[in-house]
Amino acid sequence: MADAERIRASAAALSATPWPNWFFATLTLYLAALPVAYGGVVADEDWLLPRPAWMGIMAAITALYVALLAVAAKAWREKTGVALRLDVLPKRATRPLAVGLPVVLVGAAFAFRFTGWPGWLFAASLIGAAASVGFHLAFVRLHRASE
């Protein structure tokens, strides 16, 4: 029984391990770029770049992010034996973020479309990057507490 508990505690500690720093940086950059790219896609008229260029940028950054997520997950699983997880963080923090962050990131693009003020996009970019940094720091703190 003691061995089972020790294995469970070890798996929990590994699950709380922060994601690789390169993936944390990738996620932060993606969350910062997404509102601006999406704002360019939904703009009434061409904003800084033609709409097809924004669509290409949006598709490229999303494909790159998904590919790097798969690489990070596979490498992390091979290194630690556990998958990258958010469920080790308190649900009182992850649920509002899971609902609120998409609303902010996508809502800013529509606010930009209706007002024409790009400040919405840059504010959403800062919020997305701050959320990424905050969650990374929460993982770091949780990992240190479990050691």
Side-chain angles (χ1 to χ4, degrees):
M1 243 357 202
D3 285 341
E5 185 56 39
R6 194 183 61 217
I7 291 169
R8 223 177 276 126
S10 176
L14 285 172
S15 296
T17 301
W19 292 357
N21 285 333
W22 66 266
F23 182 71
F24 155 66
T26 300
L27 176 61
T28 302
L29 290 173
Y30 178 72
L31 290 174
L34 186 69
V36 176
Y38 195 56
V41 169
V42 301
D44 275 336
E45 53 193 48
D46 288 346
W47 175 68
L48 300 177
L49 296 170
R51 182 173 288 153
W54 284 116
M55 292 173 142
I57 290 168
M58 184 84 158
I61 65 172
T62 301
L64 180 63
Y65 170 73
V66 169
L68 290 174
L69 174 62
V71 169
K74 184 177 185 289
W76 204 248
R77 205 171 21 257
E78 288 172 357
K79 179 180 177 184
T80 65
V82 295
L84 295 173
R85 298 170 44 182
L86 282 175
D87 65 337
V88 294
L89 293 175
K91 291 196 183 344
R92 70 180 187 281
T94 55
R95 281 187 184 141
L97 186 73
V99 172
L101 193 58
V103 168
V104 168
L105 296 177
V106 173
F110 286 104
F112 168 65
R113 177 186 170 100
F114 295 121
T115 65
W117 185 59
W120 293 108
L121 304 175
F122 300 114
S125 291
L126 289 173
I127 290 168
S132 177
V133 170
F135 264 74
H136 181 72
L137 293 176
F139 268 117
V140 169
R141 195 173 89 195
L142 186 61
H143 179 64
R144 285 188 184 138
S146 68
E147 289 182 327

